[in-house]
Amino acid sequence: MKEKIIAAYEELADSYDALIEHKPHNAYYDRPNTLKLIGDANGKNILDAACGPGKYAEILLKQGATVTGFDNSPRMVELAKTRNKNDGEFFVHDLSAPLEMLKNESFDTVVCALAMHYLEDWNTSMQEFCRVLKPKGTLVISVEHPFFEYLYFKSKKYFEVEAVKATWGGFGKRIKMHSYRRPLIECIKPITNNGFYIDKLIEPKPVPEFEKYDQRHYKELNTFPAFMHIRGIKK
Ligand SMILES: C[S@@+](CC[C@H](N)C(=O)[O-])C[C@H]1O[C@@H](n2cnc3c(N)ncnc32)[C@H](O)[C@@H]1O
């Protein structure tokens, strides 16, 4: 499963990078809501987990943050380095593995946008996010909304964590993408069981620019959420 996900992202990395600026679900739905939860990044030390082509890093660096990012797609990491020139630090690493290269209590914020649904078990990452965060540090994640996925994948087993696959056509070529859908409680429990309390949960609405690029999804997302954003604070 992991190999298939890496292979899919290796294949779409370049088009993802080229489209990330204005791809409506990223630019006008995920990012504005995730960035709102991160708040003022100036002077903060931020870990961008599953950084993709480094678009979040670019924004946060411009705001005056120090950014470390990792991803398990080598091409994504290359693109993140290129996008951010010599700013920030980026390396290849698996989100489900311990972050042994990162020191305890060294980050103010960990952001993990649109990637946790590639992991079956969230416990190790949550424990590691908690370990590398300073006391009262902030974790911000965005994931596919559990109710959206339940309907989209026509699941009959709400309470289970299930391996699912979808065909993506929005990046120029058709790509089979594997992930795990999970119930709401399996998005909450790994966070609250591993050293965080949740201080904000957002069921986002797209920002108005979205409509210019994709009217159909703009309408849909104003009636039913596709993503969910959670902010945890280290206890
Ligand atoms: C939808 S993209 C999001 C990228 C970036 N966070 C953003 O929002 O622009 C998902 C990213 O997660 C990465 N990813 C998937 N599974 C991963 C894993 N097990 N470890 C690290 N990165 C992973 C993919 O390579 C891809 O870059």
Side-chain angles (χ1 to χ4, degrees):
M1 179 95 162
K2 194 179 288 176
E3 284 65 36
K4 286 181 184 159
I5 297 169
I6 298 179
Y9 272 108
E10 284 292 277
E11 204 178 333
L12 59 75
D14 285 78
S15 25
Y16 194 96
D17 178 58
L19 295 171
I20 193 82
E21 213 67 53
H22 297 292
K23 193 142 193 340
H25 278 80
N26 298 85
Y28 306 120
Y29 189 50
D30 173 54
R31 283 206 297 273
N33 289 289
T34 298
L35 290 168
K36 207 188 294 165
L37 289 185
I38 294 174
D40 183 10
N42 189 21
K44 298 231 171 97
N45 194 19
I46 299 185
L47 175 65
D48 184 356
C51 60
K55 182 63 200 171
Y56 270 102
E58 183 185 17
I59 296 168
L60 297 167
L61 285 163
K62 274 202 188 115
Q63 289 181 13
T66 303
V67 179
T68 304
F70 70 87
D71 198 285
N72 70 350
S73 150
R75 182 61 188 151
M76 286 291 198
V77 170
E78 229 174 283
L79 290 163
K81 287 182 179 167
T82 308
R83 176 182 291 276
N84 291 295
K85 305 191 175 69
N86 289 321
D87 229 352
E89 241 188 78
F90 300 94
F91 57 91
V92 177
H93 191 70
D94 180 358
L95 187 56
S96 63
L99 297 163
E100 65 280 327
M101 68 299 287
L102 302 176
K103 290 199 188 106
N104 292 352
E105 303 193 352
S106 50
F107 292 93
D108 299 288
T109 304
V110 173
V111 57
C112 183
L114 301 179
M116 287 308 298
H117 45 269
Y118 296 115
L119 304 191
E120 184 172 16
D121 185 339
W122 288 15
N123 285 300
T124 304
S125 347
M126 292 303 155
Q127 280 157 20
E128 284 296 89
F129 291 163
C130 188
R131 180 184 65 76
V132 302
L133 276 170
K134 296 175 187 171
K136 296 203 168 70
T138 302
L139 165 70
V140 177
I141 68 166
S142 58
V143 288
E144 296 197 354
H145 197 295
F147 302 165
F148 174 85
E149 289 198 307
Y150 180 72
L151 297 176
Y152 181 84
F153 290 111
K154 298 185 171 50
S155 174
K156 295 276 180 279
K157 303 180 267 187
Y158 176 75
F159 290 108
E160 289 182 22
V161 176
E162 290 175 283
V164 289
K165 62 172 185 270
T167 304
W168 286 12
F171 291 96
K173 34 187 145 175
R174 293 179 75 70
I175 295 213
K176 279 231 163 20
M177 188 54 82
H178 296 256
S179 62
Y180 294 93
R181 68 141 291 278
R182 61 200 335 84
L184 177 61
I185 192 66
E186 293 298 337
C187 301
I188 302 291
K189 230 173 37 186
I191 302 176
T192 54
N193 281 358
N194 289 297
F196 296 95
Y197 68 86
I198 290 174
D199 89 319
K200 277 244 186 305
L201 188 151
I202 299 182
E203 292 182 309
K205 295 256 179 85
V207 298
E209 289 94 316
F210 193 116
E211 192 176 15
K212 264 199 306 207
Y213 293 88
D214 183 343
Q215 282 186 2
R216 178 171 72 84
H217 283 110
Y218 182 73
K219 251 197 194 149
E220 276 180 28
L221 293 172
N222 271 295
T223 57
F224 198 81
F227 295 169
M228 176 175 81
H229 301 249
I230 302 174
R231 184 166 72 190
I233 308 290
K234 180 170 171 171
K235 285 181 204 159

